[in-house]
Amino acid sequence: MSSAQRAWEWFVGKVIRLSGAMAIVFVILIFAFLLRDALPLLRSASLREILLGDTWLPTSEPPKFGMLPLVLGSLYVTVGALIIAVPLGLATAAFISEVAPRWIQEILKPTVEVLASIPSVVFGFLGLLLVGPWLMELLDLPLPVFAGLGSLMLAFMAMPTIVSVAEDAIRSVPTALRENSLALGATRWQTIRRVVIPAARSGIIAGTLLGLGRAIGETMTVLMVTGNAAVIPEGLVGILRPVRTLTATIAGEMGETAYATPHYHALFMIGLILFVITFLTNTIADIAVRRSGGVAQ
Amino acid sequence: MSALPRTSPKVSQAVAFALLWIAAVVVIVPVAAILAIMLLKGGKGLSWELISSVEEGLLPAIAGTAALVALTALISAPFGIAAAVYLSEYARAGTLVRLIRLAIVNLAGVPSVVYGLFGLALFVTLLQLGRCLLAAACTMALLVLPLVITASEEALRQVPRRLREASLALGATRWQTIRKVVLPNALPGIITGLILSVGRAAGETAPILFTGAFYGLTHPFPRSLGDPFVALTYKLFVDATEFPHVEEAEKWATAAVLVALVVAMNLAAAVFRARLRRARRW
Amino acid sequence: MSSDANLPIKKPEGEIKLETHDLSLYYDGFHALKNISVYIPARRITALIGPSGCGKSSFLRCFNRMNDLIQSARVTGEVLIDGANVYDRTTDVAALRKRVGMVFQTPNPFPMSIYDNVAYGPRLHGIRERSALDEVVEKSLRGAALWDEVKDTLRKSALDLSGGQQQRLSIARVLAVEPEVLLMDEPCSALDPTATFKIEELMIELMENYTIVIVTHNMYQASRVSQYTGFFLLGDLIEYGDTVQIFENPKDQRTDDYVRGRFG
């Protein structure tokens, strides 16, 4: 090997190694930039006012940056979405991998994939023009946009994630465990419920967490169908009233905000909160996925 | 055997399986209904005029989306493939790889609107690109990067080890082996993954909201990377929420075109992949 | 010694627990078991030997209908337990498998505690009371000669046990559902000699109360533990009879070749 060749080999190796670490660099960069543009907000309001304040009026005089209504709005919509998506998603995953005849599997799997690929703005559009008005009439609601509608649309968006991760986990449970259970006189359902699902538990938890991350971070759908009223939702009936989520606030307001104003920093603060929440859920989910890989051995 | 009266396992199984069937139906039916309604309503509003008209039609949005997707692919591919080559060919299991994988998972989980904020802060403001096609594509490239890395790595790992060993045994260096043997064999798989990943870019709205997408442009088509643009997703969003005078048929047509485009990209990748599997000789 | 036609099957003396008549098994088009007729005596150990792929495991799995799990498998003929056909349309398969327990080639503890593994079957079949479960668990673990080793660690994960302990746990798990028959599919193939010896001892103890059918690759094992032996070759039951006779005085040339280690 000539020395030029050796130098080239060395250089390429370095470049590729650097690229490898790029993902880490970008996570840190995103965090740093959010921090940089979020922290100046603390000059306009205290952390306590920001996190616990119940009024979000960023353009009034003086502005109020209470994010509690937004946090609760996100919580309402997300929890609602999970209540629909988790049981349905897990049932579908169990159905696909354990119960369905092959031809049904072949319909269901691509259906879930198509569902995953439909853009969020299309879900918002459908909610706004089709499902919302229909539910308003059906339930006799004052408005066609409300928290529960966001939950419903989000549920269908988070479901593919839940289904595919949970299905992988269920599939990786060794066949021998199923056989052992059946050989002890268990029915197929007893085997699924008592052996397969417990063995796939970590993967199922991971799928749920990833679905949760997806639902919290979803933007366009909730921006379009939840009504965007920054009020603290009250009780159960709150799901039938408009709310505003963290993501929708950023998407709805950043367009009209001047650079480096307190409002601008406030929107970055929201971004920072979202980043931290999704970072935590994804990291925990990742650990759970790794653990479920251990069970399969 | 048991003193307690209880439901027979047979009956619980029948009930449980019935519920699972219902769950599957609850998933399939709405999706099928949505696609059907979309085709029906969108098809009615769809005309060649609507698609091809520059002033009233979808052409600028289609062109904008196409430009965005192409540029996103161009930017994300080299970085993503290089990172994948590192993970599959250079890296040894350890803390660094563990951290990289965790970072990839987290990048994939960052909400798209947060990518929008990051793009605004870095590309639009700090690097002074302004709100334009390039800034939007850079933002989008970052968003699809974890997908590109994951898909490319999978394609690289499909290349059998004996091909690498054969090349190394002939005295090729590591990089020569990668460039002459591994990458060419993995290329079809990488391209499939790339199509699927950048397909995401066609469907995303939030990251381009404040990095380059506009409505009612003086120049409907971007003339350079520094121009703002309109995308299908963005147009659908604005039409649906801010311009009630746009005819409903047109909105449905826009939505149908968008869904058709995204589903078509997925189908293309699926077909491509199926062919690949059949053609593979190892 | 003849080697052309299969020898007529002699009915062993005493009580018969399992029998098959003209049993055939097909995977898609492949004829995996060919018209097998056999009588398996109660409370004895019957060994099934033969080279791999000869159909002995498939045969074993007919008695508890585990072949049902393979979609392409089709069965003709009769399999009787206490004179009743297990392939009858009205058979409750779960109830059948409770009567006919099975120990697999590799131990497969469920990813739960030792206690929960053993209590799994009884719970399935409706036992809920703590005291009753405790009793079954202890009895089964004692029956599987594992109690003394694990009585203080019942709450620990079964995955932490050694291979031999895991296999005895699998046996305890089967005993806990109080079966009448124990099918063992090469239960020692994944174990070291010491663990194998323990399982063999255990089988001889269990013979008092259970009808045991064991598939084994190991001819010495078959000759050590069983009273009856069947030799399978390419889906045929070549010879079946008293173990001593099969090993010392086989009537078929192929059996002779196999037990003398000329092929396999």
Side-chain angles (χ1 to χ4, degrees), chain C residues 153-202:
Chain C
T153 54
L154 290 175
R155 293 288 149 204
K156 283 206 173 157
S157 168
L159 300 171
D160 296 337
L161 296 174
S162 73
Q165 289 175 321
Q166 287 189 357
Q167 194 61 308
R168 277 179 283 148
L169 180 69
S170 302
I171 295 174
R173 200 166 61 185
V174 175
L175 297 184
V177 298
E178 299 174 349
E180 299 156 27
V181 177
L182 276 181
L183 306 175
M184 305 183 120
D185 189 355
E186 303 197 30
C188 302
S189 65
L191 305 181
D192 60 52
T194 320
T196 301
F197 179 69
K198 280 199 171 167
I199 303 269
E200 285 179 7
E201 262 189 331
L202 175 61

Side-chain angles (χ1 to χ4, degrees), chain A residues 183-267:
Chain A
L184 290 169
T187 61
R188 272 164 76 205
W189 172 243
Q190 284 174 322
T191 302
I192 295 170
R193 194 166 69 89
R194 294 167 188 244
V195 173
V196 177
I197 290 179
R201 193 178 44 219
S202 301
I204 289 172
I205 292 170
T208 305
L209 282 174
L210 289 173
L212 169 79
R214 179 98 209 260
I216 289 180
E218 216 6 273
T219 309
M220 300 316 290
T221 310
V222 288
L223 175 64
M224 292 165 84
V225 305
T226 55
N228 294 321
V231 292
I232 291 187
E234 274 173 41
L236 260 187
V237 79
I239 59 168
L240 297 175
R241 303 280 176 265
V243 290
R244 162 137 23 137
T245 67
L246 294 165
T247 50
T249 307
I250 302 176
E253 296 179 5
M254 187 50 97
E256 294 114 47
T257 309
Y259 176 66
T261 56
H263 188 190
Y264 176 92
H265 296 310
L267 296 180

Side-chain angles (χ1 to χ4, degrees), chain A residues 67-275:
Chain A
M67 291 180 188
L68 195 60
L70 314 179
V71 172
L72 289 178
S74 275
L75 201 67
Y76 252 65
V77 175
T78 305
V79 169
L82 290 182
I83 287 175
I84 304 168
V86 171
L88 211 51
L90 296 186
T92 306
F95 181 75
I96 292 178
S97 47
E98 299 287 315
V99 180
R102 187 159 298 166
W103 66 274
I104 301 257
Q105 286 181 19
E106 312 229 311
I107 297 176
L108 257 174
K109 284 186 140 191
T111 304
V112 172
E113 269 173 44
V114 167
L115 196 59
S117 70
I118 293 178
S120 68
V121 66
V122 172
F123 277 101
F125 174 78
L126 287 167
L128 199 58
L129 264 74
L130 199 69
V131 186
W134 180 68
L135 280 179
M136 176 172 81
E137 207 160 299
L138 190 76
L139 303 174
D140 198 21
L141 301 174
L143 285 169
V145 282
F146 52 95
L149 181 58
S151 299
L152 183 65
M153 304 315 281
L154 275 194
F156 274 86
M157 303 184 65
M159 203 150 49
T161 311
I162 299 175
V163 172
S164 64
V165 178
E167 197 210 325
D168 276 351
I170 292 174
R171 228 172 254 290
S172 68
V173 173
T175 320
L177 287 188
R178 295 184 180 83
E179 288 191 340
N180 273 271
S181 170
L182 291 169
L184 290 169
T187 61
R188 272 164 76 205
W189 172 243
Q190 284 174 322
T191 302
I192 295 170
R193 194 166 69 89
R194 294 167 188 244
V195 173
V196 177
I197 290 179
R201 193 178 44 219
S202 301
I204 289 172
I205 292 170
T208 305
L209 282 174
L210 289 173
L212 169 79
R214 179 98 209 260
I216 289 180
E218 216 6 273
T219 309
M220 300 316 290
T221 310
V222 288
L223 175 64
M224 292 165 84
V225 305
T226 55
N228 294 321
V231 292
I232 291 187
E234 274 173 41
L236 260 187
V237 79
I239 59 168
L240 297 175
R241 303 280 176 265
V243 290
R244 162 137 23 137
T245 67
L246 294 165
T247 50
T249 307
I250 302 176
E253 296 179 5
M254 187 50 97
E256 294 114 47
T257 309
Y259 176 66
T261 56
H263 188 190
Y264 176 92
H265 296 310
L267 296 180
F268 270 86
M269 183 62 87
I270 299 177
L272 185 64
I273 294 174
L274 279 169
F275 179 83

Side-chain angles (χ1 to χ4, degrees), chain C residues 197-244:
Chain C
F197 179 69
K198 280 199 171 167
I199 303 269
E200 285 179 7
E201 262 189 331
L202 175 61
M203 285 167 64
I204 291 168
E205 261 170 53
L206 291 172
M207 187 178 80
E208 273 179 46
N209 299 307
Y210 302 91
T211 301
I212 298 177
V213 186
I214 175 176
V215 161
T216 177
H217 231 85
N218 180 336
M219 278 178 286
Y220 301 104
Q221 181 167 62
S223 64
R224 275 195 301 264
V225 300
S226 71
Q227 288 80 51
Y228 290 88
T229 296
F231 171 57
F232 278 80
L233 188 61
L234 300 172
D236 273 316
L237 178 59
I238 302 294
E239 189 167 352
Y240 177 67
D242 188 84
T243 297
V244 177

Side-chain angles (χ1 to χ4, degrees), chain C residues 116-187:
Chain C
D116 288 337
N117 261 279
V118 183
Y120 178 81
R123 279 181 177 140
L124 285 181
H125 303 300
I127 298 186
R128 300 275 164 79
E129 308 85 30
R130 190 79 225 186
S131 56
L133 281 174
D134 286 348
E135 204 175 301
V136 178
V137 169
E138 178 171 347
K139 195 174 133 208
S140 310
L141 284 168
R142 280 188 193 281
L146 189 60
W147 173 254
D148 291 335
E149 290 160 60
V150 301
K151 62 182 177 209
D152 301 321
T153 54
L154 290 175
R155 293 288 149 204
K156 283 206 173 157
S157 168
L159 300 171
D160 296 337
L161 296 174
S162 73
Q165 289 175 321
Q166 287 189 357
Q167 194 61 308
R168 277 179 283 148
L169 180 69
S170 302
I171 295 174
R173 200 166 61 185
V174 175
L175 297 184
V177 298
E178 299 174 349
E180 299 156 27
V181 177
L182 276 181
L183 306 175
M184 305 183 120
D185 189 355
E186 303 197 30

Side-chain angles (χ1 to χ4, degrees), chain B residues 1-6 9-10, chain C residues 92 98 124-129:
Chain B
M1 223 170 125
S2 165
L4 289 169
R6 63 193 206 111
K10 285 268 156 55
Chain C
D92 178 342
K98 183 179 164 329
L124 285 181
H125 303 300
I127 298 186
R128 300 275 164 79
E129 308 85 30

